[in-house]
Amino acid sequence: MKNLDSQSASEIVLFGALGDLSRRKLLPALYQLDLAGLLHPKSRILGVARTDMDIKGFSDFVETNLNEFVSEGLDSEVLDRFLSRLVYQQLDFSQSAAFKHLAQTLKQGHKTRIYYFSTPPAIYGAICDGLNQAKLISAADRVVMEKPIGDSLESSKVINDQVSRFFKENQIYRIDHYLGKETVLNLLVLRFANSLFTSNWDRNSIDHVQITVAESVGIEGRWGFYDEAGQMRDMVQNHLLQILSLMAMEPPADLSADSIRDEKLKVLKALRPINHLNIKEKTVRGQYTDGYLNGVPVPGYLAEEGANEKSSTETFVAIKAEIDNWRWSGVPFYLRTGKRMPAKHSEIVVHFKEQPHNIFKDSYSDLPANKLTIRLQPDEGVELQMMNKIPGIASQLKIHENKLDLSFSQTYRDERVIDAYERLMLEIINGNQSLFVRRDEVEQAWAWADGIIEAWESTQEKPKPYAAGSWGPVSSISLIARDDRQWVE
């Protein structure tokens, strides 16, 4: 725990404070930090939104949502302390003159200001301009940008340029919440603190890697946003590529922000381009149709409320990604993500190569390769599949496939598995950028993703249908089966 006496108080300004992200994640995360004693006694939380509301209304709003989204229940003493930190400011983000009122609210004493943009990225520039005109930006302040930052390389540059006019790179925190998950953070420890994996983490030992991020939900009323984005922009360009880069990067010199981000960037630069020449062999895009989830009928994407019945937006993507460097040459990374799949399920599976010779044929004719599974959600943990002898006195030695299973919730019973946003909010307050995405990472990821999106557009091929409640289109099975492999399900 950081010594709060040496940590300056913060003004945490939540733009879009009444929105879904604030309700579900940001406010509960800040409450948990207060509960753990990690918020400075003089830190304040300022909610900013377009809605006209007094402080009583905002406090009631916050308490209602904390009751709903803090699963462990609320501590009354901490709740009172947390609510006493709250301030509310009604503000039209597009009116720069309105920021003068915000300046009046923030003028009491100098504290490190953290501006959290929980708004559409299209208005990030307008907010920065308003803050600047109201003289509310100093070298000590920080700005937090939610993904997606643009919908292409070109648009991401525009948004980043708008923010960079007023904030330097060391003040900008681009959030990808997957980087705050315990199991994703554990990748660094797993890889670089265990010689078992450090010395076997390359093309000589690993056959292939699968990364799956499956969602059981549909678009949940986000039709306008999602139909413009699709699964490629919404999930692959950020979440999956960040996981891939952590899996594949070289050992950083240390744990500093730039050491880690330099190595991730090298992976993104080494990704083999996918374009119109290889798009059909390397990718599959799908769109869910009517189906059943947990025995309950659910509508297809084109039958969702407010849907454009002619939409060709993908709700599923599978990709065979390849990294052209010495460590990973010849090792495919299969990426898969989709909506309306059988369960909410995110994991990384590392398939090691088979043994070149089997001396246990009498007991086990075909030795399976070892398999390392890193579960990101819902049951965070690490699992290693390996062979063991079956106990007994029989003359014939018998072996069997077993799992060494490290479940975080079972192993660390006395430790609460924290939400990713709690970790990320604390790192922002402490000024540590290690878990945040640098601008050149964002742009390199977009450059690779844009090639795929443009190739899809050039072919004008519609997404493959798959029934809601299934694991995606049949052609996604063929994508990996062509290499004599299969998805782990």
Side-chain angles (χ1 to χ4, degrees):
M1 182 184 298
K2 186 166 182 173
N3 183 355
L4 294 182
D5 292 334
S6 64
Q7 174 187 310
S8 63
S10 302
E11 296 275 18
I12 302 167
V13 186
L14 302 180
F15 288 92
L18 304 183
D20 196 57
L21 177 64
S22 178
R23 293 190 317 112
R24 292 173 177 270
K25 295 295 183 181
L26 304 184
L27 291 167
L30 289 168
Y31 168 83
Q32 293 287 4
L33 293 183
D34 206 356
L35 178 65
L38 293 171
L39 287 186
H40 192 284
K42 293 183 180 180
S43 287
R44 294 195 305 172
I45 300 164
L46 173 60
V48 180
R50 295 177 186 273
T51 303
D52 187 13
M53 181 182 290
D54 61 18
I55 187 58
K56 174 66 166 57
F58 184 55
S59 294
D60 290 346
F61 168 86
V62 171
E63 183 174 356
T64 297
N65 284 285
L66 291 179
N67 274 304
E68 181 175 357
F69 296 112
V70 176
S71 57
E72 304 91 344
L74 302 178
D75 180 294
S76 58
E77 183 179 342
V78 176
L79 176 63
D80 289 343
R81 183 173 71 223
F82 186 76
L83 295 179
S84 71
R85 298 179 184 274
L86 299 179
V87 184
Y88 183 78
Q89 177 75 57
Q90 186 273 335
L91 185 69
D92 185 341
F93 304 148
S94 64
Q95 301 295 322
S96 58
F99 283 79
K100 293 179 181 178
H101 300 295
L102 183 62
Q104 290 295 316
T105 305
L106 291 174
K107 72 176 182 179
Q108 300 172 7
H110 182 74
K111 300 174 183 175
T112 299
R113 291 184 290 255
I114 296 170
Y115 298 117
Y116 199 116
F117 292 173
S118 179
T119 64
I123 64 172
Y124 288 176
I127 296 175
C128 289
D129 190 57
L131 291 172
N132 180 61
Q133 290 195 35
K135 295 181 171 53
L136 285 173
I137 299 177
S138 74
D141 296 336
R142 296 157 200 163
V143 61
V144 188
M145 299 166 65
E146 272 285 343
K147 70 93 182 173
I149 299 174
D151 57 12
S152 64
L153 174 58
E154 182 180 359
S155 61
S156 76
K157 285 183 175 180
V158 170
I159 293 170
N160 276 309
D161 284 345
Q162 290 172 341
V163 177
S164 297
R165 285 177 58 207
F166 307 103
F167 294 92
K168 295 179 180 179
E169 184 64 29
N170 65 1
Q171 296 176 275
I172 300 174
Y173 293 71
R174 298 175 187 83
I175 272 198
D176 183 326
H177 74 270
Y178 266 62
L179 296 181
K181 290 182 177 293
E182 288 286 359
T183 36
V184 174
L185 288 171
N186 195 46
L187 279 174
L188 294 175
V189 180
L190 191 74
R191 286 195 54 194
F192 304 125
N194 297 284
S195 59
L196 169 66
F197 298 120
T198 302
S199 57
N200 292 287
W201 205 262
D202 56 28
R203 64 188 301 275
N204 297 313
S205 300
I206 294 176
D207 178 76
H208 73 282
V209 179
Q210 297 181 25
I211 301 174
T212 296
V213 177
E215 303 174 280
S216 59
V217 298
I219 57 172
E220 294 188 303
R222 298 192 306 155
W223 177 268
F225 160 75
Y226 189 83
D227 200 52
E228 291 291 326
Q231 201 71 355
M232 184 69 193
R233 292 183 175 97
D234 192 36
M235 295 295 292
V236 177
Q237 183 273 335
N238 39 76
H239 296 333
L240 272 74
L241 287 188
Q242 284 296 315
I243 294 171
L244 182 149
S245 62
L246 284 170
M247 285 291 297
M249 73 181 192
E250 295 297 315
D254 51 43
L255 292 177
S256 66
D258 280 336
S259 289
I260 292 173
R261 298 191 292 188
D262 285 346
E263 298 304 333
K264 289 197 294 172
L265 179 63
K266 291 176 186 177
V267 175
L268 296 173
K269 286 183 174 181
L271 281 171
R272 185 178 301 174
I274 297 177
N275 51 38
H276 67 282
L277 297 175
N278 58 0
I279 190 73
K280 291 185 178 180
E281 293 76 32
K282 303 296 184 183
T283 73
V284 172
R285 60 198 296 254
Q287 187 184 85
Y288 66 84
T289 59
D290 296 353
Y292 288 85
L293 203 62
N294 298 322
V296 178
V298 293
Y301 181 70
L302 301 182
E304 295 273 12
E305 184 178 352
N308 169 15
E309 296 180 1
K310 296 181 180 180
S311 173
S312 60
T313 297
E314 77 284 347
T315 63
F316 173 94
V317 177
I319 298 174
K320 179 182 178 180
E322 293 160 291
I323 301 171
D324 290 330
N325 63 20
W326 287 102
R327 183 181 291 269
W328 297 112
S329 178
V331 179
F333 285 70
Y334 298 99
L335 314 180
R336 177 176 60 163
T337 179
K339 291 191 175 294
R340 286 295 188 212
M341 300 184 82
K344 183 177 182 179
H345 175 76
S346 299
E347 69 177 17
I348 306 161
V349 185
V350 181
H351 294 255
F352 291 89
K353 290 186 174 181
E354 294 181 354
Q355 289 282 40
H357 180 62
N358 180 11
I359 63 173
F360 303 102
K361 289 181 180 177
D362 291 341
S363 173
Y364 219 101
S365 60
D366 189 14
L367 282 178
N370 296 127
K371 186 170 65 179
L372 175 68
T373 301
I374 302 161
R375 299 189 303 268
L376 308 182
Q377 62 181 12
D379 178 25
E380 294 94 337
V382 179
E383 178 184 290
L384 181 62
Q385 183 175 292
M386 57 191 298
M387 302 302 295
N388 282 289
K389 177 187 178 297
I390 299 175
I393 201 169
S395 58
Q396 182 183 359
L397 187 149
K398 294 184 178 181
I399 64 175
H400 186 66
E401 194 173 8
N402 292 107
K403 296 176 181 177
L404 297 178
D405 190 355
L406 169 62
S407 169
F408 283 17
S409 61
Q410 293 298 315
T411 304
Y412 305 108
R413 291 177 182 269
D414 296 331
E415 296 288 339
R416 186 177 67 88
V417 177
I418 68 170
D419 183 79
Y421 276 94
E422 296 172 39
R423 167 79 60 189
L424 296 172
M425 289 299 301
L426 181 60
E427 296 303 312
I428 296 163
I429 291 169
N430 289 341
N432 180 9
Q433 290 186 307
S434 298
L435 304 182
F436 299 85
V437 186
R438 204 167 57 193
R439 176 171 179 165
D440 50 6
E441 285 185 79
V442 173
E443 294 182 353
Q444 190 63 45
W446 269 124
W448 189 75
D450 279 356
I452 296 174
I453 294 168
E454 289 165 9
W456 283 338
E457 291 173 351
S458 70
T459 63
Q460 297 185 335
E461 187 174 332
K462 291 185 177 181
K464 308 292 184 185
Y466 67 98
S470 71
W471 284 103
V474 173
S475 50
S476 68
I477 300 173
S478 303
L479 175 75
I480 193 169
R482 285 196 293 268
D483 299 332
D484 198 25
R485 300 180 177 111
Q486 62 184 15
W487 294 108
V488 176
E489 294 177 358

